[in-house]
Amino acid sequence: SLILLPVIIFIFIPIGMQCKHLHTSISFDFMLPSNAQSLTTYKTLGDTFGKGAISPYRLIVSGNDAGEKVDTRESFEVMQNVIKALEQPVETSLLVQANFTGIAWANNQAISFTTFEMAQECAALWTCPMESLREL
C-alpha cells in the first residue's frame, strides 16, 4: 500500500493541474460532446436564426445593487426606455421577433405607472372597477 499511494498521487497530479482550467457554465454547448451531430445542428440553428430564437434571452431589471425598487415611476421610465431601445432595428441584428413582458410592458405596449398602481389596488380588492386590470 505504501507503493500504491505514490503511484496514485503521481497519476492524479496531472489531472489536478488541469482542473484549474475548468470553468462552469449553464450553456447547452457544454452538455454535449464537441463532435455530436446534435451540437452541430444546434450551432447551425443559432447561426442562422440567432441564439435568442433557440434559447430566449431574459433581461432582469433589479434595483438591488443601488438599493432601489423597480416599482417606482422612475424605474418604469428606465425599463420602458430600455425596451424601446432594444426594439430599434439594427442592420446587423438577427432579431426576428421580440416579446417583452414585465411590470412596465405587456402586449407590445408600455404600461403606465398609473395603470400599474391601479392594478395593484385592484389585486388587493375583491371587486375591481376595471376588471381588465386583473390581467396585468
Side-chain angles (χ1 to χ4, degrees):
S1 77
L2 289 176
I3 296 173
L4 188 59
L5 183 62
V7 170
I8 292 174
I9 291 173
F10 181 75
I11 291 172
F12 280 101
I13 285 177
I15 294 171
M17 297 285 285
Q18 293 302 314
C19 285
K20 66 181 179 182
H21 300 292
L22 293 176
H23 301 284
T24 59
S25 174
I26 61 169
S27 175
F28 180 73
D29 300 30
F30 297 129
M31 295 182 198
L32 299 170
S34 59
N35 60 353
Q37 186 176 4
S38 55
L39 181 60
T40 304
T41 303
Y42 173 76
K43 288 181 178 180
T44 301
L45 287 170
D47 293 341
T48 304
F49 298 106
K51 300 286 186 197
I54 298 169
S55 301
Y57 301 112
R58 299 216 183 330
L59 178 63
I60 299 173
V61 179
S62 170
N64 290 346
D65 290 345
E68 299 289 330
K69 292 186 172 192
V70 295
D71 60 351
T72 64
R73 191 173 301 278
E74 295 77 21
S75 295
F76 265 61
E77 187 176 323
V78 169
M79 288 184 272
Q80 290 168 356
N81 288 338
V82 167
I83 292 170
K84 288 174 186 172
L86 290 171
E87 285 187 322
Q88 295 301 313
V90 177
E91 268 185 48
T92 58
S93 175
L94 294 174
L95 184 65
V96 177
Q97 176 189 7
N99 181 10
F100 300 100
T101 303
I103 62 171
W105 198 274
N107 300 325
N108 294 321
Q109 61 184 346
I111 297 172
S112 72
F113 185 72
T114 304
T115 302
F116 173 74
E117 286 180 316
M118 288 177 9
Q120 277 187 313
E121 290 175 23
C122 189
L125 302 173
W126 287 101
T127 59
C128 187
M130 293 176 56
E131 286 298 323
S132 62
L133 290 174
R134 289 193 191 277
E135 297 175 10
L136 291 178

